[in-house]
Amino acid sequence: MSYDESPPPAQPAAQPPAQPADRPPARRRFGRTGLTLTIALLVPAALAGRLVWQGMSGPEGGGGAGAAVAGSTASPSPGSGDDANGDAAPGGTLAGKVVVIDPGHNPRNFQHTAEINKTVHIGDSSKECDTTGTETNAGYAEAVFTLDVSRRLATLLEERGATVRFTQDDDRPYGPCVDERARIGNKAGADAVVSVHADGSAAGNRGFHVILPAPVTGGGADTRPIVGPSRALGERIVGSFARETGSAPSNYIGGGTGLDVRKDLGGLNLSTVPKVFIECGNMRDAQDAALLTSAKWRQKAARGLAEGISGFLAH
Ligand code: ZN
């Protein structure tokens, strides 16, 4: 009721202005105008990556993969020959596909509590614009984690030729709100959208799960057309994420399936394109936190997501 009655707080003078929602984030190298250049650059990069990889030995995920960690631009995964990219041609099997990556929360949301606490319509109900997210007991923020995994994922998808857009790339002071996050995917005409998160559950609760949209109608929402394809996307990601990370599906949500269905997430309710959330692990569990804070593991997580998305888009 009161969401539109609060006066907008004054922006600190040094704060950069919020960017339009549909503008490619500043970091993205591959905006509309850069696409041609991107493709020109990707071909030799992909060739180089394949040559580098073919020169490496050792099992997938073993010590031999260490060179692929932390910002590598060429780490095709040979352990997934059953997926679309298993023998990806240079130039990419995802050419023409649009993937929107939604890094959950925003590292500066905590400085903008008034804005993010405003409520927005999420179809048949209302919810806060956004939340701060959780953190590990040592203070590693979920919003930092989600950006890191998302950027790694973007690199992998772009190597395969996809056009990638972010809902935010630490390029705005807060948010965007969950309804805007959904609209960014819709406006992009995304073939797939993945919202990246990590959970903040009780210690002892471990593992990852993918959240699927429930059928929701009303208030401008109608998820019925995306329920099926979103499930297909989510099931792909569960399989590939488990395989690439070695993590098990959640032991506290989803009954071991790694899947949950929710009707209370605006980012899903308002989506008109296939979309899922993933909770990559539980930041409040020490064992999961050790994984989530590892750059090597985050690269595996990004690979798991890229494999799942690629498999979905290829079928
Ligand atoms: Zn989250």
Side-chain angles (χ1 to χ4, degrees), residues 19 37 57 78 114 139 154 158 174 177 182 213 236 259 302:
Q19 299 198 4
L37 175 61
S57 59
E158 285 164 347
Y174 65 91
C177 298
R236 288 256 173 202
L259 293 169

Side-chain angles (χ1 to χ4, degrees), residues 56-144:
M56 296 173 66
S57 59
E60 166 66 8
V69 170
S72 164
T73 56
S75 55
S77 172
S80 50
D82 57 331
D83 272 323
N85 69 307
D87 191 24
T93 55
L94 300 184
K97 300 294 186 182
V98 177
V99 179
V100 169
I101 303 175
D102 177 33
H105 315 282
N106 179 313
R108 288 173 283 170
N109 270 358
F110 75 96
Q111 297 171 324
H112 298 272
T113 52
E115 293 94 330
I116 67 169
N117 285 335
K118 287 186 181 180
T119 55
V120 296
H121 294 292
I122 61 165
D124 59 352
S125 57
S126 300
K127 200 160 188 178
E128 301 88 359
C129 157
D130 205 9
T131 54
T132 58
T134 186
E135 62 184 15
T136 67
N137 291 338
Y140 178 59
E142 180 189 357
V144 174

Side-chain angles (χ1 to χ4, degrees), residues 104-105 131 133-134 142 146 196-199 277 279:
H105 315 282
T131 54
T134 186
E142 180 189 357
T146 66
V196 179
H197 290 258
D199 212 354
F277 280 44
E279 299 281 4

Side-chain angles (χ1 to χ4, degrees), residues 60-62 77-86 160 208 235-249 297 300-301 303-311:
E60 166 66 8
S77 172
S80 50
D82 57 331
D83 272 323
N85 69 307
R160 298 171 187 193
F208 70 92
E235 288 176 346
R236 288 256 173 202
I237 290 175
V238 168
S240 57
F241 197 86
R243 185 173 64 240
E244 294 290 341
T245 64
S247 289
W297 189 89
K300 294 178 182 178
R303 278 211 306 270
L305 290 166
E307 292 298 318
I309 293 166
S310 298

Side-chain angles (χ1 to χ4, degrees), residues 125-177:
S125 57
S126 300
K127 200 160 188 178
E128 301 88 359
C129 157
D130 205 9
T131 54
T132 58
T134 186
E135 62 184 15
T136 67
N137 291 338
Y140 178 59
E142 180 189 357
V144 174
F145 168 84
T146 66
L147 277 166
D148 182 89
V149 171
S150 295
R151 289 166 177 165
R152 293 171 188 273
L153 173 59
T155 298
L156 295 173
L157 293 173
E158 285 164 347
E159 283 173 359
R160 298 171 187 193
T163 298
V164 178
R165 302 275 173 78
F166 276 38
T167 57
Q168 61 93 9
D169 195 13
D170 199 16
D171 52 358
R172 45 184 298 156
Y174 65 91
C177 298

Side-chain angles (χ1 to χ4, degrees), residues 41-70:
L41 290 171
L42 275 173
V43 172
L47 279 168
R50 289 170 62 79
L51 291 173
V52 167
W53 183 262
Q54 287 164 2
M56 296 173 66
S57 59
E60 166 66 8
V69 170

